[in-house]
Amino acid sequence: MKTYKIFMLTMVMALSMFTIGCTESDELTEIIAENEQKENSSDTPDPTIDEVAKALDAIDFVTDIRMEDVADVASGETRRYYTFFFVQLVDHNDPSKGYFKQQARIRISTKGLTAPVVLYTHGYNMPEIKNCDASEISDYLDASTLWVEHRYFNNSLPEPFENLEFTYLNADQAAQDLHAIVSVLKQTVLKESGKWVSTGVSKDGITTG
């Protein structure tokens, strides 16, 4: 009988230790998860301490700024991209037609804000950042790059999606879109930049100048 009691007591103690061990293990897992979450959150760029983001945010015509750090496939160097919307006139010849938001993106040169700037037009949707390659001339000059999504593509619609009549889709309106955004950036974020160069693909003969 005494042996049986000792055996039961031993089993109870063993079970208690097993339960405590499991509880401590669960807590440790939660702590690790919290630490991992904190470490991951530190990878997200902070717009409140980024000078370019603050300068963009100070522009009345700029909205919805998003920053992303992406490693370059060729060099492995991490570069920061600033994607935002620029408020444009639907019809640059008639302000009464209202406004729309046109998507744009900037990648600052490794030389900083004093480097040349390449306006890189492509005539279509804004590509995903992983596919947002700079032009050869951007790499050659180590220039900053400005991409502008063409009106009537993807998120840059002068007319409601449900009622697209492409009334304001022409070379003159597209050229004035680029003139408007470049003029504002030259006076604000990129006011200390070097020379500007225009290049592009597909519709580059229409949209660069």
Side-chain angles (χ1 to χ4, degrees), residues 7-17:
F7 172 77
M8 291 300 294
L9 181 60
T10 303
M11 290 296 294
V12 169
M13 291 177 64
L15 287 172
S16 299
M17 292 177 66

Side-chain angles (χ1 to χ4, degrees), residues 39-192:
E39 290 176 1
N40 291 336
S41 64
S42 65
D43 295 335
T44 303
D46 186 351
T48 62
I49 60 175
D50 186 282
E51 294 302 319
V52 175
K54 288 195 291 185
L56 284 170
D57 189 53
I59 302 172
D60 292 337
F61 302 101
V62 170
T63 183
D64 304 318
I65 304 164
R66 186 175 73 253
M67 297 191 304
E68 295 177 72
D69 290 339
V70 180
D72 182 76
V73 176
S75 66
E77 183 180 47
T78 299
R79 303 291 294 273
R80 180 161 294 179
Y81 292 77
Y82 304 83
T83 305
F84 56 95
F85 283 90
F86 189 84
V87 179
Q88 294 275 23
L89 288 167
V90 170
D91 183 351
H92 290 280
N93 303 313
D94 185 0
S96 69
K97 300 297 182 182
Y99 302 87
F100 76 102
K101 295 197 296 185
Q102 185 171 35
Q103 191 169 209
R105 179 175 293 148
I106 295 175
R107 189 187 75 178
I108 301 300
S109 165
T110 57
K111 296 178 180 177
L113 296 172
T114 59
V117 181
V118 173
L119 171 61
Y120 188 24
T121 57
H122 44 76
Y124 300 105
N125 296 352
M126 178 70 68
E128 295 182 25
I129 285 186
K130 63 181 180 180
N131 300 322
C132 204
D133 296 329
S135 66
E136 290 183 9
I137 195 169
S138 295
D139 294 334
Y140 180 76
L141 298 173
D142 192 7
S144 297
T145 304
L146 168 64
W147 293 266
V148 181
E149 186 169 71
H150 201 284
R151 59 166 51 208
Y152 282 99
F153 282 86
N154 198 26
N155 296 309
S156 305
L157 299 178
E159 297 175 308
F161 180 78
E162 301 78 13
N163 189 31
L164 284 177
E165 297 182 0
F166 302 99
T167 309
Y168 310 101
L169 180 59
N170 56 62
D172 177 63
Q173 295 290 350
Q176 291 196 66
D177 286 342
L178 297 176
H179 177 73
I181 189 170
V182 168
S183 296
V184 170
L185 292 177
K186 278 185 174 181
Q187 298 174 42
T188 54
V189 182
L190 301 172
K191 62 184 178 181
E192 297 179 359

Side-chain angles (χ1 to χ4, degrees), residues 23-36:
T23 303
E24 291 176 347
S25 178
D26 289 342
E27 290 176 352
L28 183 59
T29 302
E30 291 175 2
I31 292 172
I32 291 173
E34 288 176 1
N35 288 339
E36 288 178 349

